[in-house]
Amino acid sequence: MKLVHINLVARDAEALAAFYIDVLKCELLRAPKVLSGEKVSLGNGLPDSEILTIWLKFPALERPFLEIHQHKTTHSRDQPRVNEPGFGHLSFQMDDINNVLSKIIHAGGQQIGQITDFGTPDKPYLIAYARDPEGNVLELEQTSS
């Protein structure tokens, strides 16, 4: 068994995909598609289901990939909190956490908490939490080389 993909349901799939491509350096894995019809509805249990689906490749990783869905009909919810049960966050490792955090904020995301060093004075290990423009939680990690 292996993990194949991680799915995010978006209010605006194209805008959210652009964020992950521009800020977190994901790449388009295939052209966006619209999924609909009886088989889609039978599979997900939603009548008259229609889904815009965008697949993104994570940086330096072939699988799993990030699958972003925008359903024709969605339900609103509050932003997820870091400590809620269920899926928690996507984590990305980078060379410059301050630069990426700044790009996230500039792209419509937001910072959660402060950048914190979990390492040692000679080997820093920086962690920060943020939200993408739709409120999904991201963990950013910067390790020393």
Side-chain angles (χ1 to χ4, degrees), residues 99-137:
N99 181 42
V100 173
L101 192 52
S102 176
K103 288 179 179 179
I104 288 170
I105 293 165
H106 182 72
Q110 66 187 79
Q111 184 172 347
I112 302 171
Q114 300 176 16
I115 297 174
T116 306
D117 189 346
F118 282 88
T120 61
D122 60 321
K123 197 167 186 167
Y125 184 72
L126 304 178
I127 300 286
Y129 283 86
R131 292 186 186 280
D132 71 19
E134 290 209 1
N136 300 298
V137 179

Side-chain angles (χ1 to χ4, degrees), residues 78-92:
D78 292 332
Q79 287 188 337
R81 292 177 289 210
V82 174
N83 63 343
E84 281 184 334
F87 293 106
H89 61 264
L90 295 174
S91 182
F92 292 86

Side-chain angles (χ1 to χ4, degrees), residues 32-83:
K33 288 183 173 183
V34 174
L35 306 175
S36 63
E38 184 180 1
K39 286 185 180 181
V40 174
S41 291
L42 285 172
N44 66 23
L46 299 172
D48 301 318
S49 187
E50 184 177 302
I51 307 164
L52 170 61
T53 181
I54 301 172
W55 289 7
L56 301 178
K57 178 181 158 312
F58 288 112
L61 187 64
E62 290 299 320
R63 294 286 189 270
F65 62 89
L66 180 60
E67 175 187 63
I68 299 176
H69 277 179
Q70 179 180 334
H71 292 259
K72 177 177 66 176
T73 303
T74 60
H75 302 279
S76 62
R77 71 170 193 185
D78 292 332
Q79 287 188 337
R81 292 177 289 210
V82 174
N83 63 343

